[in-house]
Amino acid sequence: QVQVMESGGGLVQPGGSTRLSCKVSGIILSVWSTTTVSWYRQGPGRERELVAKFTGGGRTEYADSAKGRFTISRDYTKKTVHLQMNSLQPADTAVYYCQAATSWNNFWGQGTQVTVSS
């Protein structure tokens, strides 16, 4: 059974940084290498939105709000994707979700809260 688990986040001061991690388990390495992993977020009173994506083909994509500030990276051996977030602002406050998209289904984690506040 595929499981997705996020970690990291918490309270960050404006202008600060944090790193989120997404661990995917229950998936064999050959499938993992072709799985697209994405970070989404949902702020208070807002719809869930895509933040960054690391495709199975090795391509990265970012939302305009994330470009230049966030970096998504992938550790193939540990089946983990990281999201490094810099220059955080209060508008980045949200629950951040990781999604692993395989050929047969999309799997979501429970989310991790990031609060940017002084």
Side-chain angles (χ1 to χ4, degrees), residues 69-80:
R69 300 189 302 133
F70 296 179
T71 302
I72 190 169
S73 61
R74 184 165 183 155
D75 186 327
Y76 283 90
T77 59
K78 295 182 179 179
K79 298 178 187 175
T80 301

Side-chain angles (χ1 to χ4, degrees), residues 17-98:
S17 300
T18 194
R19 189 176 82 155
L20 306 181
S21 297
C22 173
K23 172 73 173 176
V24 180
S25 60
I27 192 169
I28 61 175
L29 198 58
S30 60
V31 173
W32 159 249
S33 65
T34 62
T35 295
T36 291
V37 180
S38 303
W39 282 99
Y40 287 78
R41 69 184 181 186
Q42 187 165 14
R46 304 188 67 174
E47 294 186 355
R48 192 173 297 189
E49 61 178 0
L50 176 67
V51 177
K53 175 186 297 187
F54 202 119
T55 71
R59 190 177 74 252
T60 58
E61 300 176 8
Y62 296 92
D64 287 343
S65 60
K67 289 178 181 177
R69 300 189 302 133
F70 296 179
T71 302
I72 190 169
S73 61
R74 184 165 183 155
D75 186 327
Y76 283 90
T77 59
K78 295 182 179 179
K79 298 178 187 175
T80 301
V81 170
H82 303 289
L83 183 68
Q84 176 67 40
M85 302 191 294
N86 301 327
S87 302
L88 286 164
Q89 298 302 320
D92 296 312
T93 295
V95 178
Y96 284 73
Y97 297 91
C98 181

Side-chain angles (χ1 to χ4, degrees), residues 2-22:
V2 178
Q3 293 185 325
V4 178
M5 181 171 294
E6 303 97 339
S7 61
L11 178 63
V12 185
Q13 290 196 341
S17 300
T18 194
R19 189 176 82 155
L20 306 181
S21 297
C22 173

